[in-house]
């Protein structure tokens, strides 16, 4: 297939491009570089021996998106492009709704115009909100608690309505749990701007001496050790999940929702210990207050993806930590060094 990947130079996008190219698909890539660096493209080439056709463009720009569809015979779209910081979305809701929701409306309108009706969408476990019933199945109630999560819920609804209006569409809504890790080569990985908001990049930056200590956000949750529990998933497993979802939507029209996670939860302190084991580096930490809105526990039931997509996450917590560490230690300044 010729696949248009939006947000292709981002963390998950880059890993998915590698897997798509390795599987023999052609990739047309679009990104406005709002949260990524163009250097990732040469790393993708280095890993796969193949080029993506890259457009530095904003999906909000209808003319540019039209041009991309006009110049390439796109079979399907994998749509990662979005802003993803929860605190930023609380501070700047209009920017988040505009970028994520309007960007998707614009993309889908152009897809329809060019007769492309297959889309894999990056949704998130945050659409579930702080549900009390674990593990989360796809039919758990949706209750996002911040604007970022609400953009994902809205886009899911929009895509459902689009499908209802025209049953020729073929849509996969993928709800990711907590992506961590990096390509085993150490050549591509997560390169966040500024202070990392997520646990794993914070830990790896402490490990390379970029940050002094980890602050654990609360140790008084109702969990075994009192710290928050999440379903961490290796980014390469996540990337292969997209290939399986593409196969599914290429098989025929419909709309399908899948959790992509391992189904196992680990606490913050378990992650710290696993990282120390994998890297041999000790991670100083102190216990701080809870982060507003944080759930105690979140992990999924991955059965639906296993049975319908024949996909399952195969990489465990040690591999996640080892690969995160390899990337961070070999690229202490991320892609900056070229
Ligand atoms: P990322 O920020 O690394 O990648 C997103 C990419 O989209 C960036 O390269 C950014 O420059 C680009 N982009 C943003 N707005 C754009 C626009 N208007 N036009 C063109 N490009 C634009 O994030 P990621 O971690 O790779 O996440 C990819 C997707 O997965 C996002 O939709 C995110 O919301 C979703 N997601 C991520 C996580 C996570 O923890 N990383 C969890 C659940 C869901
Ligand atoms: N966390 C932490 N310190 C940090 C970042 C995160 O203790 O600097 C905790 C957070 O409270 C949660 C877990 O690590 O329990 C995962 O947080 P992350 O932001 O990576 O994912 P999310 O909470 O969005 O699932």
């Amino acid at each position: 297939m010729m696949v248009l990947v939006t947000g292709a130079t981002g963390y998950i996008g880059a890993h998915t491009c590698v897997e798509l190219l390795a599987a023999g698909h052609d990739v047309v890539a679009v990104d406005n570089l709002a949260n990524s660096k163009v250097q990732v493209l040469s790393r993708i080439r280095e890993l796969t021996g193949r080029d993506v056709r890259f457009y530095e463009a904003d999906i909000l720009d209808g003319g540019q998106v039209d041009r991309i569809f006009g110049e390439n015979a796109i079979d399907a779209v994998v749509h990662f492009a979005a802003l993803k910081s929860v605190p930023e979305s609380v501070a700047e809701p209009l920017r988040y709704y505009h970028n994520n929701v309007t960007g998707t409306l614009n993309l889908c309108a152009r897809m329809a115009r060019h007769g492309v009706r297959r889309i894999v969408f990056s949704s998130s476990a945050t659409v579930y909100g702080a549900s009390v019933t674990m593990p989360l199945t796809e039919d758990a109630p949706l209750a996002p608690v911040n604007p970022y999560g609400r953009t994902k819920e809205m886009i899911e609804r929009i895509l459902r309505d689009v499908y209802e209006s025209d049953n020729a569409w073929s849509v996969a809504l993928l709800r990711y749990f907590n992506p961590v890790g990096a390509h085993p080569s150490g050549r591509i990985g997560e390169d966040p701007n500024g202070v990392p908001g997520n646990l794993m990049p914070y830990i790896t930056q402490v490990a390379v001496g970029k940050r002094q200590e980890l602050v654990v956000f609360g140790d008084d949750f109702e969990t075994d050790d009192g710290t928050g529990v999440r379903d961490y998933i290796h980014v390469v497993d996540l990337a292969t999940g997209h290939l399986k979802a593409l196969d599914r939507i290429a098989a025929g029209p419909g709309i399908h929702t899948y959790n992509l996670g391992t189904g196992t939860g680990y606490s913050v302190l378990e992650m710290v210990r696993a990282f120390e084991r994998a890297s041999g580096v000790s991670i100083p930490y102190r216990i701080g207050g809870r982060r507003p809105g944080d759930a105690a526990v979140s992990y999924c039931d991955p059965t639906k993806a296993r049975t319908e997509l024949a996909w399952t996450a195969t990489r465990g917590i040690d591999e996640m930590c080892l690969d995160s560490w390899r990337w961070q230690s070999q690229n202490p300044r991320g892609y900056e060094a070229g």
Side-chain angles (χ1 to χ4, degrees):
M1 281 195 272
M2 182 171 290
V3 183
L4 173 64
V5 180
T6 75
T9 46
Y11 171 46
I12 306 168
H15 288 84
T16 304
C17 285
V18 167
E19 298 305 318
L20 284 168
L21 291 166
H25 297 293
D26 294 317
V27 175
V28 177
V30 57
D31 203 298
N32 64 0
L33 304 178
N35 196 39
S36 53
K37 310 219 168 53
V38 75
Q39 287 92 322
V40 72
L41 293 171
S42 55
R43 305 278 180 105
I44 293 173
R45 185 182 316 118
E46 180 189 313
L47 291 175
T48 61
R50 298 189 58 202
D51 272 317
V52 302
R53 181 164 191 191
F54 179 63
Y55 290 83
E56 182 178 340
D58 197 307
I59 58 161
L60 287 164
D61 182 337
Q64 297 247 44
V65 178
D66 252 339
R67 186 162 74 90
I68 296 169
F69 282 105
E71 290 178 1
N72 303 279
I74 307 289
D75 296 301
V77 176
V78 180
H79 178 32
F80 294 107
L83 296 172
K84 64 164 184 177
S85 155
V86 169
E88 231 176 54
S89 80
V90 174
E92 300 175 79
L94 294 178
R95 185 159 79 95
Y96 268 66
Y97 285 114
H98 184 55
N99 189 79
N100 294 3
V101 180
T102 314
T104 304
L105 290 174
N106 198 37
L107 175 70
C108 291
R110 264 61 197 189
M111 288 175 66
R113 183 180 294 174
H114 292 270
V116 181
R117 293 189 184 80
R118 294 186 188 127
I119 184 167
V120 176
F121 171 62
S122 300
S123 189
S124 166
T126 54
V127 296
Y128 293 120
S131 168
V132 284
T133 326
M134 296 290 155
L136 290 157
T137 51
E138 287 81 357
D139 55 8
L142 304 189
V145 295
N146 54 62
Y148 165 69
R150 285 191 274 271
T151 70
K152 295 293 178 188
E153 184 195 26
M154 281 180 191
I155 296 165
E156 286 198 8
R157 277 173 193 238
I158 289 166
L159 290 170
R160 283 182 209 289
D161 287 340
V162 167
Y163 174 72
E164 288 308 320
S165 75
D166 177 357
N167 288 174
W169 279 74
S170 200
V171 180
L173 308 172
L174 303 184
R175 295 180 181 152
Y176 313 154
F177 280 68
N178 289 62
V180 296
H183 193 271
S185 63
R187 298 300 288 159
I188 57 173
E190 188 168 13
D191 183 19
N193 287 332
V195 183
N198 295 111
L199 179 64
M200 183 58 94
Y202 206 102
I203 291 177
T204 61
Q205 291 197 6
V206 171
V208 287
K210 207 165 160 182
R211 319 238 160 238
Q212 256 186 345
E213 61 177 6
L214 172 72
V215 180
V216 176
F217 297 148
D219 68 349
D220 55 355
F221 290 101
E222 286 196 10
T223 61
D224 286 350
D225 64 18
T227 67
V229 168
R230 297 289 184 275
D231 185 340
Y232 297 93
I233 172 170
H234 195 295
V235 66
V236 175
D237 279 329
L238 193 60
T240 61
H242 290 73
L243 272 70
K244 296 287 192 179
L246 273 173
D247 289 345
R248 175 88 166 118
I249 64 169
I255 183 158
H256 315 280
T257 308
Y258 299 106
N259 287 333
L260 296 185
T262 64
T264 305
Y266 291 101
S267 74
V268 175
L269 294 181
E270 284 175 319
M271 289 305 281
V272 169
R273 280 193 289 273
F275 185 85
E276 290 181 330
R277 252 193 337 264
S279 66
V281 179
S282 85
I283 303 297
Y285 69 84
R286 69 179 165 85
I287 307 296
R290 289 188 185 192
R291 189 169 59 177
D294 258 2
V297 180
S298 169
Y299 61 92
C300 77
D301 179 342
T303 306
K304 193 174 173 212
R306 187 172 65 235
T307 50
E308 292 189 17
L309 299 180
W311 171 89
T312 187
T314 60
R315 294 160 179 86
I317 186 178
D318 295 333
E319 206 169 338
M320 297 178 205
C321 292
L322 198 62
D323 289 340
S324 290
W325 174 235
R326 188 181 297 107
W327 155 253
Q328 183 73 76
S329 56
Q330 291 181 5
N331 305 268
R333 293 190 298 131
Y335 291 108
E336 232 170 68

